[in-house]
Amino acid sequence: EKSEKGEKEDKEKPEKAEKKKPAGGSIRAREGSSASGAAQPGKEEDLAQHEIPEILPILPVRNMVLYPWVMVPILVGRGKSVRLIDDVLLKSKVIGLVAQRDAEKEDPTAEDLFKVGTAGVILKMLKFPDGSLRVLIQGMKRFRVETFVESEPYFKAKVQLLEDVVDDDKELQALVQNLRTQFQKLIEHSPIIPAEVQITAMNITAPGKLADFVATHLSIELSEMQGLLETLTVKERLQK
């Protein structure tokens, strides 16, 4: 894990991610992006107690995408974002994560955000002396922003929840097996991705969840991450 100084340096000088290179579940450790630590899938029963409101507080994130059921640590430092987290922790603990189109924008507008994101529940929060936060979030469900209803003190949006489209047939099962095989090869040749990630992947039975879990552990361009998030047909997601 990086030092606090290292994290601040990343905010000022973001590195460009190398395409299609394994990254152990973390993109760059900067505000509003995934911090160090391997992403793990959550349990359905743990999420059943949390409802996703129709009007959702929206946290803009940079250089990352949160997928359903996956748990990731995220660094939060912007004033609006810190205020959002503080408010939500007193209520439902459920927020919406939406990626910025341009990671360099410090104060993004609604037009700077993608329209598809993921609702997630805050599991843990750690506050640093400089006021920034490290938040552990578990993804719940994809959603599409219908309209932003507030922008101050932070974004709130009316959202429509999205469902996976699954055709459970032999082609789907073949795609699942192929993904497991390719991911296993990737882990075997990666000095970064922990071996236990492979065990976790082998125990994920839902094809859509498997595709999302694997995507979390790849270092790919934001446009590709977002494209996978927006792909509701599971066969198409597995093929990508």
Side-chain angles (χ1 to χ4, degrees):
E1 183 176 332
K2 293 185 178 182
S3 66
E4 185 178 350
K5 180 178 178 183
E7 288 168 354
K8 290 181 179 178
E9 288 172 350
D10 265 358
K11 296 177 197 177
E12 297 167 2
K13 298 179 181 179
E15 272 179 13
K16 186 170 181 180
E18 201 175 342
K19 192 173 180 181
K20 298 291 183 184
K21 189 175 181 181
S26 67
I27 316 300
R28 294 168 293 284
R30 52 179 293 166
E31 193 279 316
S33 68
S34 176
S36 301
Q40 294 294 330
K43 298 179 180 179
E44 289 191 40
E45 56 268 27
D46 295 337
L47 297 182
Q49 59 185 311
H50 300 283
E51 292 187 5
I52 302 173
E54 185 180 13
I55 303 299
L56 199 58
I58 300 296
L59 176 69
V61 292
R62 300 191 272 195
N63 292 325
M64 70 157 289
V65 167
L66 174 68
Y67 295 99
W69 309 106
V70 176
M71 291 188 292
V72 293
I74 295 175
L75 297 176
V76 177
R78 289 181 284 200
K80 287 184 178 181
S81 300
V82 171
R83 170 73 181 275
L84 183 157
I85 298 297
D86 286 340
D87 286 356
V88 169
L89 282 174
L90 299 175
K91 301 175 184 176
S92 69
K93 298 185 179 180
V94 176
I95 63 174
L97 272 69
V98 179
Q100 291 182 206
R101 298 178 187 276
D102 181 358
E104 300 308 312
K105 288 239 178 166
E106 282 296 322
D107 191 16
T109 65
E111 289 70 28
D112 296 319
L113 305 179
F114 287 101
K115 296 302 182 185
V116 175
T118 301
V121 60
I122 299 172
L123 302 179
K124 294 180 182 179
M125 188 270 285
L126 176 65
K127 183 169 287 190
F128 292 106
D130 64 356
S132 63
L133 310 174
R134 179 185 169 105
V135 182
L136 181 64
I137 297 182
Q138 181 175 349
M140 298 174 68
K141 205 171 192 65
R142 287 169 165 81
F143 66 80
R144 179 177 288 108
V145 173
E146 292 189 341
T147 181
F148 284 95
V149 297
E150 292 182 29
S151 59
E152 297 294 340
Y154 43 78
F155 290 112
K156 288 185 180 181
K158 182 179 180 182
V159 303
Q160 175 189 4
L161 300 181
L162 303 174
E163 301 289 344
D164 279 353
V165 178
V166 183
D167 295 320
D168 194 359
D169 54 22
K170 291 183 179 180
E171 182 186 4
L172 180 68
Q173 296 309 315
L175 288 168
V176 167
Q177 186 56 47
N178 180 64
L179 180 61
R180 291 191 198 280
T181 301
Q182 295 302 317
F183 191 48
Q184 180 179 347
K185 290 179 180 178
L186 177 65
I187 293 173
E188 289 173 353
H189 291 87
S190 170
I192 303 173
I193 304 179
E196 56 265 26
V197 169
Q198 179 183 342
I199 299 173
T200 301
M202 295 299 292
N203 286 297
I204 298 175
T205 57
K209 290 181 186 179
L210 177 63
D212 290 341
F213 180 72
V214 170
T216 303
H217 289 83
L218 302 177
S219 180
I220 54 181
E221 297 294 331
L222 177 61
S223 59
E224 294 175 281
M225 290 187 257
Q226 185 67 29
L228 288 168
L229 185 69
E230 295 180 8
T231 303
L232 301 183
T233 302
V234 173
K235 279 185 182 178
E236 292 181 15
R237 200 185 307 161
L238 289 166
Q239 289 167 340
K240 292 184 176 183

